[in-house]
Amino acid sequence: FFFLMIRRPPRSTQSRSSAASDVYKRQVFYMGRTKKNTQESDIPNPPKRPLSAFFLYKSEQYDKVKGQNPDAKMTDLTKIISKQWSEVDEDIKKKFEAIHDEKKQKYQEEIKEYEEKYGKVKNKKSNKKKQEADDDDDDDEKKPKKKVKKNKD
């Protein structure tokens, strides 16, 4: 992540008219949030969902496959591991699915405790998608669709 650091000019060259911009410049930005925004919320982040059985398998196999294919890109390594996952025995799959189920049970307990203490978890991504879909629907009703002319080649 990048930090945005704004340097203040020396006091001698500063004019009094730039007082408002100085307030803005003094704010420290960290990952898109000002200090004020990060201090407002005392609510901790909710627990994260557990990894699926495949991703548990992938995290175990990644170093081995990376050792066998040192020049391969991450996407290529994932393709190799996914092919291995499709060909692996059911016993091994069941092992990772059991680990996933245990972690899922733990997650459900943690999320239940979190919701009792801080209220229901708000899913930011789904709300944005719903709002965008609603906005798109409104735009379609207001503006008629334009016909696109195709060039004859």
Side-chain angles (χ1 to χ4, degrees), residues 3 15 17 37 50-52 64 66 75 95 119 131 152-153:
F3 295 91
S15 66
S17 63
N37 290 344
L51 295 175
S52 68
K64 295 176 187 174
K66 179 70 175 170
T75 53
K95 172 188 153 189
Q131 287 175 355
K152 294 181 180 179
D153 291 328

Side-chain angles (χ1 to χ4, degrees), residues 2 8-11 27 29 43-45 53 55 59-60 81 87 90 93 106 109 113 119-120 130 134 149:
F2 297 99
R8 288 180 57 197
R11 291 194 186 270
Q27 291 177 340
F29 287 88
I43 299 172
N45 291 333
F55 282 103
S59 64
E60 186 178 283
I81 295 170
E87 296 170 355
E90 290 297 319
K93 282 188 180 183
K106 185 179 177 185
E109 292 170 6
E113 291 173 12
K120 192 166 183 167
K130 287 179 185 176
D134 292 341
K149 294 182 180 179

Side-chain angles (χ1 to χ4, degrees), residues 50-79:
L51 295 175
S52 68
F54 168 72
F55 282 103
L56 291 169
Y57 176 78
K58 180 184 171 198
S59 64
E60 186 178 283
Q61 296 294 318
Y62 187 82
D63 292 330
K64 295 176 187 174
V65 174
K66 179 70 175 170
Q68 295 170 355
N69 305 300
D71 297 333
K73 294 179 183 178
M74 187 177 192
T75 53
D76 296 333
L77 295 173
T78 304
K79 287 177 186 176

Side-chain angles (χ1 to χ4, degrees), residues 4-122:
L4 176 62
M5 297 175 64
I6 302 172
R7 298 179 111 188
R8 288 180 57 197
R11 291 194 186 270
S12 61
T13 61
Q14 234 176 356
S15 66
R16 292 180 188 254
S17 63
S18 66
S21 65
D22 283 349
V23 172
Y24 175 75
K25 288 179 182 178
R26 282 188 219 132
Q27 291 177 340
V28 178
F29 287 88
Y30 177 70
M31 293 192 316
R33 291 181 241 150
T34 61
K35 279 185 177 180
K36 183 179 178 184
N37 290 344
T38 56
Q39 291 175 355
E40 283 179 7
S41 177
D42 293 334
I43 299 172
N45 291 333
K48 293 186 177 183
R49 289 183 172 179
L51 295 175
S52 68
F54 168 72
F55 282 103
L56 291 169
Y57 176 78
K58 180 184 171 198
S59 64
E60 186 178 283
Q61 296 294 318
Y62 187 82
D63 292 330
K64 295 176 187 174
V65 174
K66 179 70 175 170
Q68 295 170 355
N69 305 300
D71 297 333
K73 294 179 183 178
M74 187 177 192
T75 53
D76 296 333
L77 295 173
T78 304
K79 287 177 186 176
I80 293 168
I81 295 170
S82 65
K83 188 175 182 181
Q84 288 177 357
W85 175 252
S86 64
E87 296 170 355
V88 81
D89 294 337
E90 290 297 319
D91 296 336
I92 297 173
K93 282 188 180 183
K94 286 180 182 178
K95 172 188 153 189
F96 286 101
E97 288 170 358
I99 294 170
H100 168 72
D101 290 340
E102 290 173 14
K103 290 187 178 195
K104 187 175 180 181
Q105 289 291 338
K106 185 179 177 185
Y107 165 77
Q108 287 174 345
E109 292 170 6
E110 289 174 355
I111 199 76
K112 193 173 188 179
E113 291 173 12
Y114 181 88
E115 287 179 348
E116 287 173 0
K117 195 170 185 179
Y118 301 107
K120 192 166 183 167
V121 177
K122 295 178 183 176

